[in-house]
Amino acid sequence: MVIPDYTRHEQDRAPGMVRELHETLAAKAIAYRNQPDIDFDALVRLPRMLSTQCGDGYVIGVPYGRHLRLFYEFDTINHIRLHLTNLLNEMGALATEHSETELMVLDYTDFPHRHYVEPMLIGAGFVSPSEVAVMRCRDVRDQTMPELDDRIVVREATTADADSIVEIEQQAAGEGSHAPPLANQFFQDSEWVGIAEHDGASVGYIQVAAAEKRGIVAEELIVHPDHDHTAVSRALLAAAMQRGAEANRRAMTLRVTGDSAGDPLLREFNFRHVTNELTYQRPADPAEVQRRYDEKVTTFVKVGKIWGRF
């Protein structure tokens, strides 16, 4: 999942550590970051962040449920090549010891340097990246809802629905996979969670979080594979937009796999393509990374905030 669980780890965050290193790098003409538009000054001050650093750069990890979202900042490409793998291994060991993290995720938007950095990230234990398209509806208050299937009812989910949500994830993930329990803060940190039902059975859910400028973002939208994907998704998106309009929210954002950006369903709700990102993943446990390297295991992971599980 991608909900903050606010895992805390006692470590030195004094200005002499990663914060001072960030201030030094921020003063340079060029600093290499995986997401240049992110506020790194705010990241290094987060109370729940984990960090590993060397003299030439650092990696920050922010726990989100069982995922650790990664951010890096270095002064040269050569230093990324020299230090990134070791810093990630240290980060994985730290996260494994002090949190429930199972997977480290690095979202990459620094496309001007993409052709230099990509081989380094693969060499650092990440699998081949999945392309993610960011879609946005400018104002949910102005939308005319498409015709919905009246057999599908969407209601607000509560903690009593946690098992049903995990079951939907399990079925969507497929046989042989394991869906972990929901993060502790799943409901508390959500703006709204809606669950779709058909003949009394849970067939899908959507999790909506607050975004900047009075916007909302669909963090998850997952449909049970035995039910009509389009009809259930349409009902969930309509319910989320109506809820957002009632709360005087504005833009709605969601992230989809690259091959889903042109889905006709998204056009029904006036979603427009904004930008593309790459998402890299690797296990948090360094021993698992080494095992896969030794056995030359190739893993293909398709990731999306919608039409799939992040």
Side-chain angles (χ1 to χ4, degrees):
M1 311 305 295
V2 291
I3 298 301
D5 61 7
Y6 302 102
T7 301
R8 294 177 180 270
H9 169 60
E10 293 299 327
Q11 60 178 343
D12 189 353
R13 299 187 185 86
M17 299 294 288
V18 65
R19 192 181 305 174
E20 185 174 283
L21 184 56
H22 159 69
E23 292 171 355
T24 300
L25 292 172
K28 294 181 177 292
I30 296 178
Y32 293 86
R33 306 176 179 94
N34 58 307
Q35 296 195 71
D37 296 331
I38 294 292
D39 185 353
F40 274 71
D41 188 63
L43 282 177
V44 299
R45 300 172 190 274
L46 288 174
R48 67 185 187 274
M49 69 90 172
L50 305 176
S51 68
T52 56
Q53 57 276 323
C54 62
D56 306 304
Y58 63 89
V59 177
I60 284 177
V62 182
Y64 282 76
R66 293 181 183 272
H67 293 71
L68 191 72
R69 186 168 293 172
L70 299 175
F71 305 88
Y72 69 68
E73 184 176 33
F74 287 89
D75 61 350
T76 70
I77 289 289
N78 286 336
H79 289 141
I80 299 177
R81 183 179 294 110
L82 287 172
H83 301 298
L84 183 61
T85 298
N86 288 337
L87 292 182
L88 288 173
N89 287 335
E90 293 175 11
M91 177 68 74
L94 191 67
T96 300
E97 180 180 359
H98 297 284
S99 74
E100 296 181 335
T101 296
E102 296 177 348
L103 189 69
M104 298 198 295
V105 179
L106 184 146
D107 292 325
Y108 192 76
T109 59
D110 192 10
F111 288 104
H113 306 109
R114 168 180 171 181
H115 58 292
Y116 293 112
V117 177
E118 185 171 349
M120 302 176 205
L121 299 181
I122 300 299
F126 291 99
V127 298
S128 297
S130 299
E131 185 173 349
V132 175
V134 179
M135 310 293 292
R136 183 168 296 135
C137 173
R138 292 177 60 89
D139 197 329
V140 299
R141 301 170 300 179
D142 296 336
Q143 298 308 307
T144 300
M145 295 297 110
E147 184 177 351
L148 305 177
D149 187 336
D150 57 12
R151 297 172 298 173
I152 300 173
V153 177
V154 178
R155 62 173 176 82
E156 183 172 6
T158 67
T159 54
D161 297 303
D163 290 342
S164 296
I165 290 174
V166 172
E167 176 63 21
I168 293 169
E169 291 185 351
Q170 180 67 58
Q171 294 299 321
E175 185 178 355
S177 61
H178 173 67
L182 296 182
N184 293 335
Q185 303 293 326
F186 180 82
F187 290 99
Q188 294 91 320
D189 290 344
S190 300
E191 178 78 8
W192 183 67
V193 179
I195 190 163
E197 295 178 332
H198 181 270
D199 291 336
S202 300
V203 298
Y205 83 93
I206 186 170
Q207 180 219 346
V208 179
E212 61 182 4
K213 298 181 180 178
R214 298 210 335 255
I216 52 177
V217 54
E219 292 281 13
E220 301 278 2
L221 195 165
I222 302 178
V223 177
H224 195 293
D226 294 339
H227 295 269
D228 187 328
H229 185 278
T230 298
V232 176
S233 298
R234 183 183 288 115
L236 289 169
L237 284 172
M241 282 192 171
Q242 290 170 352
R243 174 85 178 199
E246 292 170 0
N248 198 28
R249 293 290 186 176
R250 292 184 177 176
M252 182 176 183
T253 303
L254 52 84
R255 298 168 71 221
V256 304
T257 53
D259 55 3
S260 298
D263 194 294
L265 176 61
L266 300 179
R267 291 197 295 270
E268 289 182 19
F269 290 93
N270 288 320
F271 279 102
R272 298 292 183 267
H273 180 249
V274 177
T275 187
N276 290 320
E277 298 178 355
L278 295 179
T279 293
Y280 294 82
Q281 298 184 3
R282 63 167 266 175
D285 186 355
E288 174 64 16
V289 177
Q290 186 62 43
R291 186 191 68 79
R292 293 188 180 189
Y293 177 80
D294 292 340
E295 296 182 1
K296 296 183 180 180
V297 174
T298 302
T299 304
F300 297 93
V301 181
K302 189 171 184 179
V303 178
K305 289 296 187 66
I306 183 171
W307 319 152
R309 185 166 65 86
F310 186 79

